[in-house]
Each structure stands twice: as structure tokens, then as C-alpha cells.
Amino acid sequence: MGTEPEQSPSPDAVALAFRLALDAARAFVGATAPNPPVGCAILDASGNVLAVAAHQRAGTGHSEALAIAECRAKGLGRAIHTIVVTLEPCNHFGRTPPCSEAILSTTAKAVWIGVADPNPAVVGGGAERLRAAGLTVRSIGELDHGLAGSARRLIAPFAKRARTGLPWVTVKQAVDGSGSMIPPRGQKTFTSQDSLKLAHELRRRADAVLTGSGTILADAPEFTVRHVPDFVSRNRHLAVLDRRRRVSTDYFDAATARGFRVLFPHSLADALQQLGEVGALEVLVEAGPLLTESVLVSPFWDEHVRITTDEDGPDRVEVLSQPHSFSLTERT
């Protein structure tokens, strides 16, 4: 009499778990630098979700360890069968122990990975460690649900910095129907409330804001996150291109009081180099027409969020990618 095949979660159950892991990680985009946002979901052999967790901040538990701890706290540790994670588990000691070892301390039989770790120093280590220990390691790309692309985009800023030393650059640009970025006299913006919310969502996910002296002299912007909830005790960098030192020290003192770490780079390239060195994963460019255009004609930007206000209808939002758009290859 033949042996019954071991029960495993169905592809649909794995795909659902991966979406839950993605959603969990997205909730902390902007809070984890210099680490990437990562989500994890754990299934039993029948495909039931036992736990979902995300890495929330550098120095705190990684998603896999948190999800495993949640299972054990519920008394479900022995039911762990499949671990679904948006990024290849780490296999090195940092501020926390290796996630690969945390997984191997469980009854897990299989691990599904969204994207391989892009860090050149640790390529393949986590997946190889798990395979060597007898676990089945598979890529979420095998399911063909577009989930691998979502996983790559989730960590694109981390991947770019890991491979180039430079942060991901998002350019936010608001224009009126004629293409002008200049608001009517007496106003600081001409966009809708929904667009303001989007702008503040972009600020929340950024580790730094890059601007020019002209923008500060014209509007004295605070660059704080106000239209959406921000992360608790979140400090960001403010890089100001002000070679002629036109901005008063009072403005910078006020920015420091708001929690910004102010940098005074000599150029756009210098700004990105400095921000990469301090661990910033994503930089949001919020500047006037001249600096915005200067960034957009350079090779440094990665994403361009263009908000166009039309008096006859809702604002139109376009998200454009740099032609050389940073990408990752499947390798799990």
C-alpha cells in the first residue's frame, strides 16, 4: 500500500498569504531604513494562515521571527508548515540573528520567497542555507500572479542602494493645466485635497527630502507629514541645495526642531551620495521648476509622480519610471 503524499498549501493559499505579507510590509514603507520593508505569512499544511507580520524598524525583529513568535504565542508553533516571505530570509548576524536559523528552529517544510536578496555581500545565502537543511525553497514567480513584480517594487529602493550606494529618487511635481508649477499669487498649492494626501504619503515613505533654496525662500515649507498619519518618532533628512547660502539659519534651526537632520550638499550628485551614506533608501524631490527639471534631465531619478490639476475635473496623477528603471532578476 502506497504512502499518502504529504499535504501542502495550495497555490491559491500561497498566493493569498503572499498578498497578506505584501500588505503588511507596505504599511511600514518609510520606517525601516536602512533595512528593507519585508512581510511574512505562515501557513499550516492545509493552507490556513497562522500569522502575518512585518519588519517595522531597524534594530527590531525581522518579519519571519515576529511571525514565528506570534505562532508560538498562540500555541500553533507545531502547526507551522509553509513560510511565505516577500524577501529572501537573511543568513547573517546583524543587529538581529539570521532569519534562516529562526525558520530552521520550526517545523517548516517549505519557504516561498518573493525576491532574492539583492545585497551583493549576501547573494543567495538564505535560500541556500534553507535548501541545505532539507527545506523546499520556491519563488513566488512560479505562481504567475504578478506577485514577484510587486515584491521587486517593494524593495526597489533597498536594492538600488545595496547595488549602487545611492538612494531611490522620487520626483513629485504638481502642475496646472498649462504645465506651470507656480501657484496663483497668495497660494502655496493648487492641487486637490486628494492630491495633497498623495503628496504626504510620498513624504511618509521617504527617508529624505531634497529641495532648493528658491523653494524655501518662496514658501518656507515645513516638509512634515500632516495629511496622513506619520510613523512615531520618525526623523528624516532634509538636503538643501543652497550654494549661495541664501536661506537663513532660522529656517534650518526650525527644521532641526521639527526632527530633520539638515544636509548642505554641493550638488545633486553630492546630495545623493551623502544620503546613501547615511542609510536613506528613498529621497523625495520637492522643489521648484529649475531644480525639478535639472533632476529629470539627469540619470539619477527613478520615479516621477506628476500631478496635473484640471479646473474641469479631478487631478490627474501619472507615475513615470526612468527608462533605465532599476530591476531585479529572479534567482530563487
Side-chain angles (χ1 to χ4, degrees):
M1 205 170 166
T3 303
E4 291 292 326
E6 182 179 313
Q7 187 176 13
S8 295
S10 68
D12 285 346
V14 171
L16 173 61
F18 195 83
R19 292 188 181 95
L20 293 175
L22 280 173
D23 288 343
R26 286 168 178 150
F28 294 95
V29 170
T32 62
N35 296 342
V38 183
C40 175
I42 297 181
L43 305 176
D44 65 13
S46 298
N48 298 307
V49 177
L50 304 180
V52 180
H55 180 49
Q56 300 182 18
R57 188 171 184 171
T60 64
H62 288 190
S63 62
E64 299 94 318
L66 292 174
I68 291 168
E70 182 180 333
C71 284
R72 288 172 173 160
K74 294 176 179 177
L76 300 173
R78 300 180 70 85
I80 294 173
H81 181 281
T82 297
I83 293 180
V84 180
V85 63
T86 58
L87 176 65
E88 178 181 1
C90 63
N91 190 47
H92 58 278
F93 281 91
R95 295 166 71 176
T96 59
C99 292
S100 57
E101 297 305 317
I103 292 171
L104 292 177
S105 74
T106 73
T107 57
K109 301 292 192 299
V111 179
W112 287 80
I113 295 173
V115 65
D117 193 325
N119 188 338
V122 298
V123 168
E128 290 171 5
R129 174 73 180 98
L130 296 172
R131 286 194 181 101
L135 273 68
T136 298
V137 179
R138 301 179 67 179
S139 167
I140 203 69
E142 296 175 34
L143 300 182
D144 194 27
H145 286 274
L147 297 174
S150 297
R152 288 195 295 272
R153 177 59 188 90
L154 177 66
I155 67 152
F158 172 77
K160 181 183 177 184
R161 182 175 174 273
R163 293 184 176 180
T164 69
L166 300 177
W168 181 271
V169 178
T170 298
V171 182
K172 188 212 78 179
Q173 182 184 31
V175 298
D176 62 20
S178 68
S180 172
M181 293 179 62
I182 309 300
R185 184 179 297 276
Q187 297 182 32
K188 288 192 174 184
T189 184
F190 42 68
T191 56
S192 68
Q193 192 62 34
D194 285 345
S195 293
L196 281 174
K197 181 181 177 183
L198 170 61
H200 284 248
E201 287 173 346
L202 294 174
R203 281 184 189 171
R204 179 176 60 185
R205 82 183 197 192
D207 303 301
V209 173
L210 173 65
T211 192
S213 58
T215 296
I216 294 175
L217 293 173
D219 298 327
E222 294 185 0
F223 293 121
T224 52
V225 177
R226 301 184 300 279
H227 291 267
V228 295
D230 199 5
F231 300 108
V232 177
S233 302
R234 182 70 169 96
N235 293 319
R236 296 176 174 84
H237 288 83
L238 176 62
V240 182
L241 295 175
D242 183 24
R243 285 180 293 184
R244 290 182 284 172
R245 294 294 186 264
R246 298 192 297 161
V247 180
S248 72
T249 55
D250 289 344
Y251 177 84
F252 295 123
D253 289 343
T256 300
R258 292 193 296 273
F260 284 100
R261 300 183 180 98
V262 183
L263 301 177
F264 303 98
H266 301 297
S267 64
L268 173 59
D270 181 42
L272 300 182
Q273 185 67 40
Q274 287 190 43
L275 290 169
E277 289 172 356
V278 298
L281 299 185
E282 180 168 1
V283 178
L284 178 64
V285 177
E286 292 197 79
L290 292 179
L291 180 53
T292 297
E293 183 61 24
S294 177
V295 175
L296 290 175
V297 299
S298 78
F300 295 117
W301 69 275
D302 298 282
E303 195 167 72
H304 178 198
V305 180
R306 181 183 170 96
I307 303 168
T308 303
T309 296
D310 188 339
E311 293 181 359
D312 299 326
D315 291 355
R316 185 172 71 255
V317 178
E318 301 169 275
V319 181
L320 309 173
S321 297
Q322 175 73 286
H324 67 246
S325 183
F326 199 79
S327 61
L328 300 171
T329 56
E330 296 289 335
R331 191 181 36 76
T332 56

